[in-house]
């Protein structure tokens, strides 16, 4: 059989598809079957970054001056095109990233939702008008764009996360350069191609593929990049924050999580077990909002554990393109090794392995990166698997004595993205909403399921105070200007007694 021809994808700079100055490419393969090659992508370097930033800088004055409702018309067209291409993008995304088709369709839908939401902002972007303390004076606030945005994204939401950055940045009047995650450049390629076809002018959006140090770092450090918008691990985020600090570059960071589901003794245990399985093993546990800690009231621990194990053991694992598959592979070899390493640490530190724990290596799994859904019981707050983000199909059961004890355990983390509680008591639910220090909170639902019109982000080491999505995302990509218009014709002095 003749070998399948592998397509080479190019960077998108200044409205054109171009090769990297490095003359090097890297291979992107399917984590469910590494013999399935998705394509070759440009191994970008600092020169490519310089070209892309120069294009974005040159495009900025005209894009800034285009009325926001006109910018929005282009985004509406992009949204329509995304709807038409949804299935193809989802199929490609499952091939490059591994998660099951239902989830990649959801990923594309999230980008569609964000596109229409932000296009709508083209006719809103409300400021405020407010009275002046002086007569014949008018006060208002307006948003102003900032300039070139550098965007760095991870692989777990290959199109949704880039859309959460690109669309709000563009509607505010900024231009952008995105460096896609090395494992998922094809999804960003598809999004950028749609923006190109929808009529986004040259230079307004630019895409380079490649590695963090060679391509991401020069982008973050480029003097003409005014805002950095990053999603990824807290370790990389800390580094990026340090790169931005010397020049006071705006820097928005969305980072790791160690999310928690609390199951109280009055909970609907079937509902809670369904939610825990979805939150722990959906996207193979590779979500920033994955529930890697299940804090369960001691009175219901035994019953809940039995229901959880029954569900987890029955999950069908395989290639995400197969409609019957419920959990796909993990993203790559190094991530697989890291997860298996955490499983070993969990066992060594005294966690009780209740199910899973193994790599699947034979038969249909032999060319992929598959790990069984893994549940540890008897986990304590001292254990590494309680504290550190694993980012794989591994979750831990921790016993609590009461609502207050559960909330205390939930808050005992260096992260703060998402938490949830299963209870029938409105009092317990509201107490937990108030006392759990996270950016997202769910009642009788798992830790995942964010919608684009609500702010998204976390506390502690998960974020640095910004929120993506919602109208709040506009605060990342614009700056407020307070405007005072004095039409009295005389000098008036605020705060000065006459
Ligand atoms: P990562 O930090 O390894 O990489 C993220 C991105 O940063 C990649 O594009 C990478 O190439 C780039 N990068 C790496 N080093 C760099 C450097 N020195 N300079 C500039 N760029 C650099 O993270 P990952 O493995 O891709 O993603 C998983 C992490 O992302 C998890 O911690 C997860 O919780 C987090 N995440 C957070 C959110 C959120 O919204 N809070 C959403 C999704 C994922």
């Amino acid at each position: 059989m003749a070998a399948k021809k592998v397509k080479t994808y190019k960077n998108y700079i200044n409205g054109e598809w171009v090769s990297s100055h490095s003359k090097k490419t890297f291979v992107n393969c399917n984590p469910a079957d590494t013999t399935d090659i998705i394509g070759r992508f440009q191994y970008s370097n600092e020169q490519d970054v310089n070209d892309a930033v120069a294009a974005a800088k040159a495009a900025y004055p005209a894009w800034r001056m285009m009325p926001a409702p006109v910018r929005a018309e282009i985004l509406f067209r992009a949204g329509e095109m995304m709807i038409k291409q949804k299935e193809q993008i989802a199929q490609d995304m499952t091939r490059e990233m591994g998660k099951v088709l239902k989830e990649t369709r959801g990923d594309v839908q999230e980008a569609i939702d964000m596109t229409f939401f932000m296009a709508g902002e083209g006719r809103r972007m409300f400021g405020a008008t407010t009275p002046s303390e002086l007569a014949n004076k008018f006060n208002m606030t307006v948003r102003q764009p900032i300039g070139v945005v550098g965007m760095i994204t991870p692989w777990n939401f290959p199109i949704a996360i880039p859309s959460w950055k690109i669309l709000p940045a563009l509607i505010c009047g900024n231009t952008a350069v995105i460096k896609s995650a090395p494992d998922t450049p094809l999804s960003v390629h598809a999004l950028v191609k749609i923006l190109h076809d929808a009529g986004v002018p040259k230079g307004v959006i630019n895409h380079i593929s490649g590695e963090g140090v060679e391509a991401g770092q020069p982008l973050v450090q480029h003097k003409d990049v005014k805002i950095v918008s990053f999603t990824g691990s807290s370790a990389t985020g800390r580094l990026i924050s340090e790169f931005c600090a010397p020049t006071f570059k705006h820097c928005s960071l969305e980072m790791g999580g160690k999310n928690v589901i609390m199951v109280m003794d009055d909970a609907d245990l079937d509902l809670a077990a369904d939610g825990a399985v979805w939150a722990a093993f959906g996207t193979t546990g590779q979500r920033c909002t994955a529930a890697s800690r299940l804090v369960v009231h001691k009175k219901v621990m035994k019953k809940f554990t039995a229901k959880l194990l029954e569900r987890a053991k029955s999950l069908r694992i395989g290639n995400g393109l197969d409609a019957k598959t419920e959990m796909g592979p993990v993203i790559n070899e190094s991530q697989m090794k890291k997860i298996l390493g955490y499983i070993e640490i969990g066992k060594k530190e005294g966690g009780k392995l209740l199910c899973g724990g193994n790599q699947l290596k034979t038969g249909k799994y032999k060319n992929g990166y598959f790990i069984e859904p893994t549940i540890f019981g008897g986990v304590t707050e001292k254990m590494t698997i309680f504290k550190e983000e694993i980012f794989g199909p591994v979750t831990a059961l921790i016993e609590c004595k009461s609502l207050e004890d559960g909330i205390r355990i939930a808050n005992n983390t260096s992260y703060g993205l998402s938490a949830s509680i299963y209870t029938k008591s409105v009092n317990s639910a509201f107490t937990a909403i108030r006392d759990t220090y996270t950016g997202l909170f769910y009642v009788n639902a798992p830790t995942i399921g964010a919608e684009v019109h609500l702010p998204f982000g976390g506390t502690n080491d998960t974020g640095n105070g910004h929120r993506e999505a919602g109208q709040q995302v506009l605060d990342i990509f614009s700056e407020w200007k307070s405007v005072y218009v004095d039409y009295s014709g005389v000098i008036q002095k605020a705060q000065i007694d006459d």
Side-chain angles (χ1 to χ4, degrees):
M1 204 173 73
K4 229 169 93 185
K5 195 164 179 324
V6 176
K7 185 172 171 184
T8 298
Y9 292 86
K10 297 197 168 175
N11 285 340
Y12 179 68
I13 297 177
N14 206 23
E16 289 180 6
W17 304 98
V18 295
S19 300
S20 167
H21 288 284
S22 74
K23 299 193 172 28
K24 286 198 271 181
T25 56
F26 63 93
V27 166
N28 179 14
C29 67
N30 181 345
D33 174 3
T34 53
T35 64
D36 176 23
I37 306 296
I38 315 295
R40 286 181 203 287
F41 289 82
Q42 302 302 313
Y43 191 88
S44 307
N45 62 16
E46 190 168 354
Q47 267 180 292
D48 303 312
V49 169
N50 292 343
D51 290 351
V53 174
K57 191 178 176 189
Y60 176 62
W63 183 247
R64 180 179 82 87
M65 292 306 287
M66 185 186 282
V70 181
R71 294 198 288 261
E73 280 170 26
I74 303 176
L75 300 196
F76 276 121
R77 271 203 299 281
E80 297 293 344
M81 293 166 83
M82 239 182 273
I83 291 172
K84 290 206 181 92
Q85 296 176 36
K86 177 174 169 179
E87 187 58 25
Q88 186 59 52
I89 298 173
Q91 299 259 351
D92 288 348
M93 192 190 296
T94 292
R95 261 184 83 206
E96 84 166 342
M97 188 270 168
K99 65 186 172 185
V100 299
L101 258 181
K102 273 187 190 159
E103 292 186 38
T104 51
R105 287 184 190 122
D107 199 308
V108 185
Q109 187 57 47
E110 206 167 300
I112 294 168
D113 294 344
M114 184 53 91
T115 308
F116 288 125
F117 178 41
M118 282 301 130
E121 277 306 318
R123 287 187 186 271
R124 279 191 299 266
M125 273 197 257
F126 297 131
T129 60
T130 180
S132 168
E133 56 190 63
L134 297 167
N136 297 321
K137 196 173 169 198
F138 183 88
N139 293 350
M140 63 182 162
T141 58
V142 294
R143 289 185 183 278
Q144 56 189 338
I146 301 173
V148 178
V149 187
M151 301 171 176
I152 308 274
T153 50
W155 45 264
N156 64 335
F157 280 86
I159 202 164
I161 290 177
S163 81
W164 281 29
K165 300 185 186 303
I166 294 172
L167 283 323
L170 262 47
I171 201 65
C172 286
N174 307 286
T175 56
V177 178
I178 181 165
K179 204 276 305 161
S180 49
D183 288 299
T184 52
L186 182 58
S187 301
V188 178
H189 184 279
L191 176 58
V192 166
K193 170 89 169 55
I194 284 174
L195 292 170
H196 169 88
D197 293 343
V200 170
K202 67 176 188 174
V204 170
I205 176 72
N206 304 273
H207 171 217
I208 55 169
S209 53
E211 294 291 334
V213 174
E214 290 81 353
Q217 203 158 312
L219 176 61
V220 170
Q221 294 184 306
H222 198 291
K223 67 172 178 24
D224 290 332
V225 167
K226 302 292 180 199
I227 313 173
V228 171
S229 171
F230 167 82
T231 301
S233 64
S234 300
T236 309
R238 181 165 289 114
L239 206 61
I240 286 180
S241 166
E242 286 167 11
F243 292 146
C244 293
T247 55
F248 310 115
K249 197 172 280 197
H250 292 204
C251 172
S252 150
L253 306 169
E254 294 287 340
M255 299 172 286
K258 191 70 189 171
N259 312 289
V260 63
I261 291 180
M262 293 173 270
V263 181
M264 292 297 109
D265 54 351
D266 63 347
D268 176 335
L269 294 184
D270 286 301
L271 185 68
D274 285 342
V277 166
W278 174 224
F281 304 122
T283 321
T284 321
Q286 304 168 114
R287 284 180 180 239
C288 49
T289 51
S292 52
R293 297 181 299 151
L294 308 173
V295 175
V296 183
H297 196 289
K298 64 179 181 186
K299 281 194 197 152
V300 293
M301 178 61 99
K302 207 165 154 201
K303 242 172 144 180
F304 175 76
T305 304
K307 288 178 188 291
L308 181 72
L309 287 175
E310 189 194 323
R311 285 163 172 78
K313 284 178 183 168
S314 74
L315 284 175
R316 283 185 298 267
I317 304 162
N319 190 324
L321 289 172
D322 178 346
K324 291 199 196 82
T325 299
E326 292 169 300
M327 194 181 95
V330 300
I331 188 72
N332 57 34
E333 192 177 1
S334 79
Q335 193 60 23
M336 182 175 71
K337 285 186 177 153
K338 188 174 149 200
I339 297 163
L340 292 170
Y342 272 117
I343 292 171
E344 285 314 304
I345 292 171
K347 287 195 276 190
K348 267 196 204 117
E349 291 185 357
K352 197 165 161 216
L353 189 60
L354 301 179
C355 80
N358 301 304
Q359 181 190 350
L360 297 166
K361 302 184 203 181
T362 56
K364 67 175 181 174
Y365 302 117
K366 76 174 191 308
N367 292 321
Y369 306 119
F370 292 95
I371 298 178
E372 292 171 326
T374 300
I375 300 173
F376 278 98
V379 173
T380 67
E381 294 168 70
K382 288 205 177 94
M383 292 181 190
T384 307
I385 58 168
F386 175 88
K387 294 181 197 158
E388 294 184 15
E389 184 182 44
I390 299 172
F391 223 55
V394 182
T395 195
L397 286 157
I398 306 112
E399 190 176 277
C400 71
K401 297 184 198 70
S402 61
L403 171 69
E404 288 68 30
D405 192 36
I407 294 171
R408 184 194 60 73
I409 296 169
N411 282 334
N412 185 11
T413 172
S414 55
Y415 295 104
L417 186 53
S418 187
S420 107
I421 189 165
Y422 281 86
T423 178
K424 292 195 186 109
S425 157
V426 72
N427 295 2
S428 299
F430 273 91
T431 303
I433 292 169
R434 185 193 61 201
D435 292 343
T436 310
Y437 184 49
T438 54
L440 309 171
F441 197 90
Y442 295 85
V443 177
N444 292 327
T447 48
I448 60 185
E451 300 176 30
V452 300
H453 53 299
L454 275 74
F456 183 96
T459 61
N460 296 323
D461 288 1
T462 298
N464 63 341
H466 297 278
R467 290 292 183 269
E468 290 198 324
Q471 288 183 318
Q472 289 75 1
V473 70
L474 302 176
D475 289 336
I476 297 176
F477 296 112
S478 64
E479 268 183 314
W480 285 111
K481 183 178 279 174
S482 298
V483 182
Y484 302 89
V485 182
D486 192 321
Y487 55 99
S488 67
V490 291
I491 176 114
Q492 301 199 86
K493 297 175 182 167
Q495 294 96 35
I496 305 296
D497 295 332
D498 256 343

